[in-house]
Amino acid sequence: MNLYDRHISTLRDALRWQDYYDSVKQLFEFDMWQTLPPAGRPFRGEIAGFLTKQAKAQLLSPAVADAVEYFSAMPQQEFREIRHWGAARRFIRLYRQASRVPDDLEAALVTCSLENQMIWREALKASDFDIYRPHMKRLFELKREVAQAVDPDSSPFQVMVDQFDQGLKSEDITRLFDELKWAIPTMLSLAEGRSSKADPTLLSVVAERSAAERFMADFMAGTGIDRTRTSFGGVIHPVSYCIGPRDV
């Protein structure tokens, strides 16, 4: 096996283990939303923190460090496949975070995130944001600490942007929102003059559950999502973030 293939094998194994750990933590999230009583949340958060430390330890091996160094120095055009390049970017990001963020800090973030989901649900049910406010503040503080640990020379916001849109600069986002601050009020003022002529019943739509399910089934079939790895269920908001590594 040549050097490239050896490091690709290391990368593939490491990412698969990370997917294992992530899938277990996602099952915890699902359980918390469905059946876990409030008194069980602290221990469940403790388990999630433990798994986070185990996932980090799996990344911090000499073989992984060698692969990270190898791929970090490789230009995009030298990767044999575009998916290798994409996987390497995720691989390097995970390794850098694991090697720079203290175990207890990362575990605290995971535990806080799990607990906050349930507190947010209670605040939503009570229509009282003040229930969630102090917990959200703590979550922001932890995210900021993690970002500063990953790259103390960058702003925390830029570090978090890189996790989802690598290469996008916070300055570009600021410029975009500056433009929107001008454009949206202008569009609203133009719309106000026409709103009195609009038929308000156009915004009143009754969606039957069976029709919504048929629509989602057609959408899933059209996008190639495997129905044997998905399920329908009632949620507070129409978003699913508990997706396994082989769903799509």
Side-chain angles (χ1 to χ4, degrees):
M1 182 182 294
N2 62 39
L3 190 59
Y4 183 94
D5 289 334
R6 178 162 63 84
H7 288 315
I8 283 292
S9 179
T10 298
L11 176 154
R12 184 180 295 114
D13 290 344
L15 291 182
R16 174 58 60 87
W17 274 101
Q18 296 306 302
D19 287 337
Y20 290 159
Y21 285 115
D22 286 344
S23 293
V24 172
K25 286 187 287 187
Q26 288 165 0
L27 286 173
F28 285 174
E29 292 180 8
F30 179 80
D31 183 40
M32 289 186 75
W33 277 94
Q34 299 297 321
T35 60
L36 188 69
R41 295 174 191 170
F43 184 63
R44 183 55 52 81
E46 183 180 334
I47 297 173
F50 170 79
L51 289 174
T52 298
K53 292 181 180 181
Q54 295 297 305
K56 284 188 61 177
Q58 186 273 335
L59 278 173
L60 300 178
S61 70
V64 168
D66 289 345
V68 166
E69 182 178 3
Y70 177 80
F71 288 124
S72 294
M74 181 173 288
Q76 179 181 348
Q77 62 271 20
E78 292 186 15
F79 284 86
R80 294 179 189 169
E81 300 180 30
I82 188 65
R83 62 192 183 101
H84 288 175
W85 173 71
R89 295 208 315 171
R90 180 190 173 209
F91 177 65
I92 293 168
R93 178 178 61 79
L94 289 174
Y95 173 80
R96 287 177 176 168
Q97 178 159 332
S99 61
R100 297 173 182 177
V101 180
D103 288 357
D104 290 342
L105 174 57
E106 190 144 18
L109 175 61
V110 171
T111 300
C112 181
S113 298
L114 279 175
E115 293 175 348
N116 274 22
Q117 290 182 39
M118 295 300 96
I119 297 167
W120 173 82
R121 189 177 190 177
E122 293 164 1
L124 180 66
K125 185 177 180 179
S127 296
D128 186 355
F129 180 72
D130 286 336
I131 295 175
Y132 185 59
R133 187 189 305 274
H135 302 278
M136 184 181 71
K137 182 175 184 293
R138 175 58 179 158
L139 186 61
F140 270 66
E141 291 170 349
L142 288 170
K143 290 288 288 185
R144 185 179 294 108
E145 289 182 44
V146 168
Q148 290 172 337
V150 171
D151 188 352
D153 296 326
S154 294
S155 69
F157 181 63
Q158 181 62 62
V159 174
M160 287 184 275
V161 167
D162 287 340
Q163 293 182 359
F164 300 96
D165 290 289
Q166 192 170 3
L168 180 65
K169 299 301 182 184
S170 59
E171 294 84 358
D172 296 330
I173 298 174
T174 299
R175 184 174 64 253
L176 172 62
F177 276 90
D178 284 342
E179 293 172 356
L180 290 174
K181 282 192 296 185
W182 172 85
I184 291 177
T186 302
M187 293 171 63
L188 288 175
S189 64
L190 292 173
E192 285 176 356
R194 304 176 184 179
S195 61
S196 59
K197 303 175 183 179
D199 182 359
T201 61
L202 293 174
L203 301 178
S204 300
V205 179
V206 177
E208 297 180 0
R209 181 183 178 88
S210 59
E213 289 181 347
R214 287 195 302 272
F215 171 78
M216 287 306 302
D218 291 342
F219 173 80
M220 292 165 66
T223 53
I225 296 177
D226 188 346
R227 288 293 301 275
T228 66
R229 293 187 170 94
T230 59
S231 62
F232 285 112
V235 294
I236 294 177
H237 50 83
V239 175
S240 174
Y241 52 86
C242 297
I243 298 176
R246 296 176 61 83
D247 279 347
V248 180

